[in-house]
Amino acid sequence: MKRFGFVALLATVVIVAFMVTGCRAELPTISNPQNEPFEQQVLELTNSERVAHGLAPLQWHNRVATAARSHSADMAINKVFSHTGSDNSSVRDRLNRHKVENLRTWGENIAAGQRTPETVVQAWMDSPGHRANILNASYTHIGIGVYELEKSQYQIYWTQKFAAFHGD
């Protein structure tokens, strides 16, 4: 009888957890060491563009990068190419989810299909809205996420998340 009570309690906890999360499994925090050189190159190219336009370089922020990596993975895995996540999350929602706190302002660039850091940064610089994010003097920090999934529509997904914090 005691064992049945424990199993029933455990089942109730699992059901409540599914109800609270909307029956959706959370994506794991994505860290793909093989893509870190691409992320570093995108950071360097982005900062080169900023410096060439008289702006300060952006500082890397680990939690912002985790949010960017998770969004790139979400787009690849769930076949969504959007600033809205597969769970209808906004850019701010995803930053909150990864405990990015004290935000003053934020932004996001996404891309898919470009095979190199050079081509993705050039594509962003050729697009007025993406260029505006890269050259936004208000931003002080950045996180970049690259996710490759061969059997997905575009094979490679890129996310830049920009942030500035109160007190910057």
Side-chain angles (χ1 to χ4, degrees), residues 91-157:
V91 176
R92 178 65 189 257
D93 293 336
R94 293 186 299 275
L95 289 164
N96 287 343
R97 183 180 300 154
H98 292 284
K99 311 245 184 290
V100 179
E101 300 170 343
N102 202 28
L103 280 168
R104 180 171 44 87
T105 188
W106 60 92
E108 179 180 79
N109 284 347
I110 60 173
Q114 294 83 0
R115 301 304 303 164
T116 68
E118 293 82 8
T119 57
V120 74
V121 172
Q122 189 60 57
W124 283 327
M125 289 304 291
D126 291 342
S127 164
H130 297 104
R131 178 186 181 93
N133 275 339
I134 290 171
L135 300 180
N136 186 328
S138 297
Y139 296 140
T140 56
H141 292 80
I142 191 170
I144 299 159
V146 180
Y147 191 81
E148 293 182 74
L149 184 62
E150 284 205 23
K151 295 185 180 187
S152 63
Q153 182 177 358
Y154 299 106
Q155 283 97 36
I156 187 165
Y157 295 77

Side-chain angles (χ1 to χ4, degrees), residues 63-72 74-75 82-101 103 105-110 130 133 139 141 143 158-164:
R63 287 185 182 166
V64 174
T66 300
R69 289 173 179 147
S70 293
H71 188 58
S72 289
D74 179 41
M75 289 189 294
S82 175
H83 292 285
T84 302
S86 65
D87 60 354
N88 290 320
S89 61
S90 68
V91 176
R92 178 65 189 257
D93 293 336
R94 293 186 299 275
L95 289 164
N96 287 343
R97 183 180 300 154
H98 292 284
K99 311 245 184 290
V100 179
E101 300 170 343
L103 280 168
T105 188
W106 60 92
E108 179 180 79
N109 284 347
I110 60 173
H130 297 104
N133 275 339
Y139 296 140
H141 292 80
W158 308 82
T159 302
Q160 285 182 312
K161 288 196 185 294
F162 304 91

Side-chain angles (χ1 to χ4, degrees), residues 44-58 125 131 134-135:
E44 291 168 5
L45 292 164
T46 298
N47 278 336
S48 290
E49 291 290 347
R50 288 177 61 85
V51 169
H53 288 85
L55 300 170
L58 297 168
M125 289 304 291
R131 178 186 181 93
I134 290 171
L135 300 180

Side-chain angles (χ1 to χ4, degrees), residues 13-41:
V13 168
V14 169
I15 289 168
V16 169
F18 276 136
M19 290 170 59
V20 168
T21 63
C23 298
R24 242 187 107 68
E26 281 290 315
L27 282 172
T29 298
I30 303 298
S31 179
N32 192 346
Q34 73 186 26
N35 288 328
E36 288 176 10
F38 272 8
E39 294 170 357
Q40 182 63 38
Q41 288 173 354

